[in-house]
Amino acid sequence: MEILALDVRLDGYADPVGVLVRDNKGAVAFAYKAEYLSDPDSTPLSLSLPLTTDPYEDVVTRPFFDNLLQERDGALADIMARESLARDDIAGLLFHIGKDCAGALSVLPAGAPPTKVPGVYDQDYVPIPPDRLKAIVESLHKRRRLPEGTEDPSPLAGVQSKIALTLLPDGTLAEPNPGSGAPTTHILKVPDQDHLQDALLEAEAMHVSQALGFETAEAVVTPIADINALLVTRFDRGLDKQNRIVRIHQEDFAQALGLPASFKYERRGVEGRRFDVSGIRRILEATGDPAGEKDTFIRATLFDLLIGNADGHAKNFALLFEQGGRIRMAPRYDILPTRLDDRLTDELAYKIGSARTLNEVTIANFEGFLQAMGIDSAAARRRIRLRHTNEIASRLATHLAELNKGGMKRFADLIASNTRILLGALAVDVPDAA
């Protein structure tokens, strides 16, 4: 195998921020550029890759850069077959498709010019004609190849059918001009034929999350070709002073913990190398507001338990790296009442104490969860258990009638049932509406 060196670029910086190298045995390593380290505005690419002059070896480098690739191996099949590449040849794959990594990062052949630049609404985007948009949605709905000439400019992780697009100021959906490097602003998620209600359910879950005070990505149901799709505003985008669309650097919790995407559930990891509450605590303590972020995460955990979202895995939580080096939790996204689908497991993405499912949660398990989050005082743990659980359950209960009237009776019934189970287990009074 030949030695390969690639430039790692971060949108917003004129020069490469680091170099990714594959040796003749296939191992990869990463090092920051000295010029980048000397820049007062430099930010780490990941909590797992702090700024340092020392290079990172394969065991640390590989998980982070593997997470830049599409999560579904099928999405990589063409490039692997065409170039005779193995799935574990991270650098080889990024040589060919690294210009289209999700987020603000790109990985390019050494010396190549930047491929990601700010976008100008009236210059860098092509409105999608209605017939073409319909064909795109139908292809995603049936899990077929996208129409000829359509390339998702920002390959997205996850198993749902989705494409990254841009919403123009006049409300028209558009694609970036080929080769422009302009960012997308929205994600269009299209349910497949076995999950026709997913867009409606996710929209409701996201709206309720917002109503309860969680910072949550904007989501709106968009009917296209008689299919209810979900249009989600990207939280990793912003506007600069010239009103250009710019990318904001972010990473998911798998990257922050140095875990491959395959370890995004606690049950798939091993001791010391898994997505668990102690790892989550380490991430949150690296943010600009550790106490506030931990409190938010505890409340989010209760919210997910009550609405039946058992899929809060490591790639469904993210960090935003803001100018000046401040790190904070990203808005919530990908919130879905997965327990309404009998084909999906009820096992939680991370354990609550030793509890693997909602039905196993006890006061002792919840206390263990809070202790793992760093809540050392028994009085504080009791206060959180009673106050947060009562507050979130009571506020959710006020939405039950609205969900019933909106054709979401199954969702309302799930919330009511989960409320009775969890609050009963935690010795908290159940709201009358539940």
Side-chain angles (χ1 to χ4, degrees):
M1 182 175 289
E2 295 182 358
I3 295 175
L4 178 63
L6 302 172
D7 285 339
V8 179
R9 286 183 171 273
L10 180 59
D11 194 15
Y13 292 88
D15 299 311
V17 301
V19 59
L20 176 68
V21 177
R22 180 192 69 195
D23 67 18
N24 55 11
K25 295 182 180 179
V28 292
F30 170 76
Y32 287 105
K33 294 269 190 179
E35 297 83 359
Y36 183 67
L37 291 173
S38 65
D39 187 331
D41 292 327
S42 63
T43 182
L45 299 189
S46 170
L47 291 185
S48 65
L49 298 170
L51 295 173
T52 177
T53 56
D54 298 327
Y56 289 97
E57 296 182 353
D58 188 277
V59 68
V60 179
T61 299
R62 181 174 294 276
F64 178 79
F65 286 94
D66 180 71
N67 272 286
L68 297 180
L69 297 169
Q70 292 197 9
E71 197 172 342
R72 286 177 291 160
D73 284 350
L76 300 173
D78 287 350
I79 191 70
M80 290 166 61
R82 187 173 73 241
E83 304 296 337
S84 299
L85 296 171
R87 177 61 181 83
D88 63 355
D89 186 1
I90 304 301
L93 291 167
L94 287 170
F95 176 85
H96 293 282
I97 59 176
K99 68 182 180 67
D100 290 328
C101 294
L105 284 173
S106 52
V107 183
L108 307 170
T115 58
K116 291 187 175 181
V117 298
V120 179
Y121 278 118
D122 57 2
Q123 295 179 14
D124 294 322
Y125 302 95
V126 181
I128 305 174
D131 288 348
R132 180 175 174 77
L133 182 60
K134 179 180 178 182
I136 290 172
V137 168
E138 289 178 340
S139 296
L140 291 170
H141 176 60
K142 296 176 181 177
R143 292 188 176 270
R144 296 176 178 171
R145 287 187 178 275
L146 292 170
E148 186 176 350
T150 302
E151 293 186 12
D152 188 342
S154 180
L156 302 163
V159 297
Q160 289 180 294
S161 295
K162 63 187 82 168
I163 187 170
L165 301 171
T166 293
L167 185 68
L168 300 180
D170 66 0
T172 303
L173 286 172
E175 298 169 290
N177 282 318
S180 69
T184 55
T185 63
H186 288 68
I187 297 167
L188 186 67
K189 303 174 75 170
V190 182
D192 62 30
Q193 297 171 89
D194 294 327
H195 301 87
L196 294 176
Q197 296 296 308
D198 273 10
L200 298 171
L201 289 169
E202 186 169 349
E204 288 294 339
M206 301 271 275
H207 294 162
V208 173
S209 173
Q210 277 187 328
L212 264 66
F214 293 101
E215 187 180 8
T216 309
E218 294 285 343
V220 60
V221 175
T222 305
I224 303 171
D226 296 325
I227 299 164
N228 284 319
L230 188 70
L231 189 65
V232 184
T233 303
R234 300 189 69 143
F235 60 78
D236 58 345
R237 297 294 187 262
L239 294 176
D240 65 11
K241 294 178 181 178
Q242 288 79 44
N243 202 41
R244 299 179 305 175
I245 305 163
V246 294
R247 298 172 176 89
I248 302 170
H249 180 44
Q250 57 87 24
E251 70 167 341
D252 61 47
F253 278 23
Q255 291 171 299
L257 289 171
L259 299 174
S262 58
F263 280 23
K264 66 184 181 181
Y265 296 101
E266 179 172 352
R267 56 186 174 271
R268 295 182 183 170
V270 294
E271 182 71 34
R273 188 168 163 75
R274 64 189 180 195
F275 176 60
D276 57 15
V277 177
S278 62
I280 293 165
R281 175 185 173 181
R282 292 198 305 275
I283 292 174
L284 300 179
E285 288 182 343
T287 65
D289 180 16
E293 298 288 29
K294 284 194 280 188
D295 189 67
T296 296
F297 194 91
I298 291 167
R299 295 177 66 251
T301 296
L302 287 166
F303 176 82
D304 283 351
L305 288 170
L306 291 171
I307 71 161
N309 175 27
D311 203 38
H313 56 68
K315 297 190 75 65
N316 279 344
F317 290 97
L319 297 173
L320 286 173
F321 290 74
E322 300 180 323
Q323 284 190 336
R326 182 179 172 84
I327 302 172
R328 69 179 182 92
M329 270 188 67
R332 297 221 60 195
Y333 58 97
D334 284 359
I335 308 172
L336 187 68
T338 57
R339 293 306 301 124
L340 288 177
D341 189 338
D342 294 335
R343 293 164 291 190
L344 299 178
T345 180
D346 65 344
E347 189 169 352
L348 303 171
Y350 52 91
K351 289 191 286 189
I352 308 300
S354 62
R356 295 172 299 172
T357 66
L358 169 67
N359 289 329
E360 294 177 1
V361 175
T362 61
I363 290 178
N365 279 325
F366 194 69
E367 289 259 320
F369 164 71
L370 294 178
Q371 280 186 296
M373 287 292 288
I375 312 299
D376 296 325
S377 162
R381 293 196 298 271
R382 182 178 186 277
R383 188 166 58 249
I384 288 172
R385 170 171 58 85
L386 298 177
R387 184 185 64 206
H388 282 6
T389 307
N390 177 69
E391 178 231 342
I392 293 172
S394 296
R395 294 185 67 182
L396 273 174
T398 66
H399 290 271
L400 296 180
E402 181 182 342
L403 287 171
N404 269 318
K405 292 178 183 176
M408 294 281 168
K409 185 179 185 304
R410 289 181 65 237
F411 190 15
D413 288 347
L414 176 67
I415 293 173
S417 174
N418 289 347
T419 299
R420 295 192 296 272
I421 292 170
L422 182 62
L423 272 63
L426 298 184
V428 178
D429 290 338
V430 178
D432 290 341

